[in-house]
Amino acid sequence: MNVVAISGASGAILGIRLLEELRGEAYLIISKNAEKIIEYETGYSVDEVKRMAKRVYNNDDLSADIASGTTKFDSLIIAPCSTTTLSKIACGIGDNLITRVASIALKERRKLIIVPRETPLSPVVLKRMYELSSMGALILPPEPAFYLKPKKIEDVVNYIVGKILDHLGVEHELYSPYEP
Ligand SMILES: Cc1cc2nc3c(=O)[nH]c(=O)nc-3n(C[C@H](O)[C@H](O)[C@H](O)COP(=O)(O)O)c2cc1C
């Protein structure tokens, strides 16, 4: 099972498109600020987003089953990931369900895909990203592939979600490969 987490960074649509592509077969955690950003940035309500998941967890619920390493999940994808959540994970802080599940992914050597959104990046965050990458997490910034000549934001979103699905081993047709 894939766990999708939407934290309080800009780009909530990335997590939403990912949920759509996983077709109801994902668990979902949304942070408090992410709920506000979903309503502010996207045409979706938080309830609509929650209905896209097989199961929804409260980010404050540190006694949820997935807060334990004994509960099996295949991967955690944090899309988008705030620099706060990213930095906490790198430091081993598990003070909410998203950061706790991330710490489990690291200790149990499960897949951890982090889609950080911020610009510019401070030395603090760059250092934390490097540390997480060295620990086995995949840092996948939501940057457009300009050479694919995206025409609209949906093209960029599909490309990024396609890259996430590539790493999950899920077939998709969200972007066409580069053709010289
Ligand atoms: C509209 C809005 C956009 C934000 N965008 C970002 C962002 O792109 N990157 C980021 O690191 N934080 C961003 N923040 C700040 C985070 O939401 C804030 O640091 C929060 O504490 C992150 O906690 P969370 O990861 O638990 O949601 C944004 C906040 C708001 C209200």
Side-chain angles (χ1 to χ4, degrees):
M1 182 58 62
N2 297 305
V3 182
V4 174
I6 305 180
S7 74
S10 185
I13 192 65
L14 294 162
I16 295 170
R17 278 293 288 122
L18 178 61
L19 283 170
E20 280 174 349
E21 286 299 313
L22 293 174
R23 302 178 202 291
E25 283 303 316
Y27 293 163
L28 173 65
I29 317 168
I30 308 178
S31 77
K32 281 271 173 310
N33 251 25
E35 290 196 355
K36 290 185 196 157
I37 293 171
I38 287 169
E39 303 276 359
Y40 182 75
E41 274 188 353
T42 78
Y44 295 87
S45 69
V46 171
D47 282 342
E48 281 173 315
V49 175
K50 287 181 175 174
R51 282 199 289 274
M52 294 175 189
K54 188 179 184 95
R55 182 166 176 187
V56 180
Y57 289 90
N58 187 320
N59 197 29
D60 294 327
D61 186 5
L62 284 167
S63 55
D65 54 3
I66 52 168
S68 161
T70 56
T71 301
K72 304 282 186 289
F73 62 87
D74 300 303
S75 62
L76 170 66
I77 310 102
I78 312 178
C81 186
S82 76
T83 51
T84 301
T85 288
L86 182 149
S87 302
K88 283 193 214 170
I89 296 165
C91 295
I93 298 168
D95 64 339
N96 60 44
L97 196 57
I98 296 174
T99 52
R100 172 64 189 155
V101 175
S103 74
I104 289 169
L106 287 175
K107 86 180 171 81
E108 303 289 345
R109 305 288 194 259
R110 296 180 197 161
K111 199 166 278 193
L112 174 58
I113 301 178
I114 294 178
V115 183
R117 213 299 324 173
E118 184 63 285
T119 197
L121 293 166
S122 73
V124 174
V125 173
L126 286 166
K127 195 172 166 202
R128 299 303 171 216
M129 281 187 187
Y130 173 73
E131 288 168 354
L132 282 166
S133 179
S134 305
M135 292 173 210
L138 182 76
I139 306 293
L140 198 156
E143 291 174 5
F146 292 101
Y147 57 90
L148 295 180
K149 302 189 175 82
K151 304 266 182 308
K152 40 194 188 341
I153 289 191
E154 286 79 7
D155 297 339
V156 176
V157 169
N158 282 343
Y159 170 70
I160 299 302
V161 172
K163 292 293 284 185
I164 297 170
L165 294 173
D166 290 343
H167 284 275
L168 294 178
V170 175
E171 296 282 330
H172 67 84
E173 294 181 353
L174 291 181
Y175 68 84
S176 306
Y178 167 62
E179 278 181 36

